Amino acid sequence: MTSLMQILKINIEEKIVLVGQLTETFYSSSCSNVSDVVRNILQQAQQSDVRIGAKLIRLHFHDCFVDGCDGSILLDNADGIQSEKDAGPNMNSADGFDVVDDIKTALENVCPGVVSCADILALASQISVTLGGGPSWEVSLGRRDSRKANPSGANSDIPSPLESLNNITSKFSAKGLDSTDLVALSESSGAHTFGKAKCGTFSHRLYNFSNTGNPDPSMDSTYLNTLRLTCPQDGNDTTLANLDYSSPYGFDNNYYTNLQSNRGLLQTDQELFSTSGADTVATVNRFGKSQSEFFNAFVQSMIKMGNISPLTGNNGEIRADCKRVN
């Protein structure tokens, strides 16, 4: 009996140690095949949507920048909840929610009430990167889900493609992320290495930059003409263009070589390289020269971002449905 009590005491103490912090082995006993389940759903989803990886990474990014990585971006409108999906940075652009629901359903079938929606976003992001040819890493887990959403926080805290580099740097700094994280995550968590952007987010660069009536002088002329074919002056602002024109569906460092050639699609992207005196210029050059150096920095930045103010322990809940609170 004493031996059994000692064992129980040890197990309880181990669980107490884990409360309040994320750990790579969080589901090792409660849902050991969680990564396999997520990977299988993503591989199926890729067959019908080659952009699903980019969409899910963007969801994780937008989730973490609003009150931390708590799955709040996934909540629908309901009594007492105004959805972040309706905020400016997400409305008619955030996507991939149906695949998150598919992953949640699959996990509830094998590990009911165990895996949080916030952790699903973190795992799906990591697996999406590896499926796209990028680096792999061990994801720290144990996040719990928020019981509320914050659309005003989404409007104020998520970086905009129309903002200045100084403003975006300040938004990253407010989350504990430095300029190296900014350069790495602009490419990756924003899904700019294999995502797309609407003409409306960059067409001002093509025709009337800073109300001059001329295009952005930092843009390569050949690239400018190509984009004008995709986004004519009086065209549809919702038409999509590849953020990485040279390798739109692979996870690599071409985004940085594009910036070095003045072929960054979004103003905020190009400013990482074209802003005179900015410390981001040297980082772009470093990542453009060495894909392995970018991969290493990216992994560290993703881990840092995934650790922004998670709910743990008895805070929040494990949603049965990612779209609504229990």
Side-chain angles (χ1 to χ4, degrees), residues 56-209:
L56 294 175
I57 294 171
R58 187 166 184 263
L59 285 184
H60 183 43
F61 180 78
H62 283 208
D63 182 41
C64 291
F65 262 66
V66 182
D67 297 334
C69 310
D70 59 5
S72 60
I73 193 173
L74 303 174
L75 288 169
D76 281 346
N77 288 313
D79 290 342
I81 294 177
Q82 186 178 355
S83 177
E84 292 172 22
K85 297 176 183 179
D86 296 330
N90 298 323
M91 184 180 290
N92 299 321
S93 63
D95 202 356
F97 299 105
D98 54 338
V99 175
V100 174
D101 290 337
D102 290 343
I103 293 171
K104 182 61 174 175
T105 298
L107 287 170
E108 286 296 304
N109 287 335
V110 295
C111 312
V114 172
V115 182
S116 69
C117 301
D119 275 349
I120 287 174
L121 289 179
L123 276 170
S125 295
Q126 181 266 320
I127 292 170
S128 294
V129 169
T130 59
L131 290 177
S136 182
W137 67 96
E138 292 294 327
V139 181
S140 294
L141 301 165
R143 300 167 190 80
R144 289 169 65 83
D145 298 320
S146 174
R147 296 188 178 97
K148 60 184 181 179
N150 184 3
S152 62
N155 283 322
S156 63
D157 293 1
I158 296 174
S160 161
L162 303 178
E163 286 186 279
S164 69
L165 180 58
N166 283 339
N167 284 352
I168 292 179
T169 299
S170 295
K171 288 186 175 183
F172 270 73
S173 179
K175 306 301 178 184
L177 302 172
D178 60 26
S179 62
T180 300
D181 301 316
L182 166 59
V183 177
L185 296 177
S186 291
E187 194 264 16
S188 313
S189 292
H192 294 182
T193 182
F194 52 3
K196 291 178 182 286
K198 294 178 179 178
C199 289
T201 62
F202 61 86
S203 59
H204 66 288
R205 300 186 67 206
L206 310 183
Y207 302 101
N208 188 26
F209 184 67

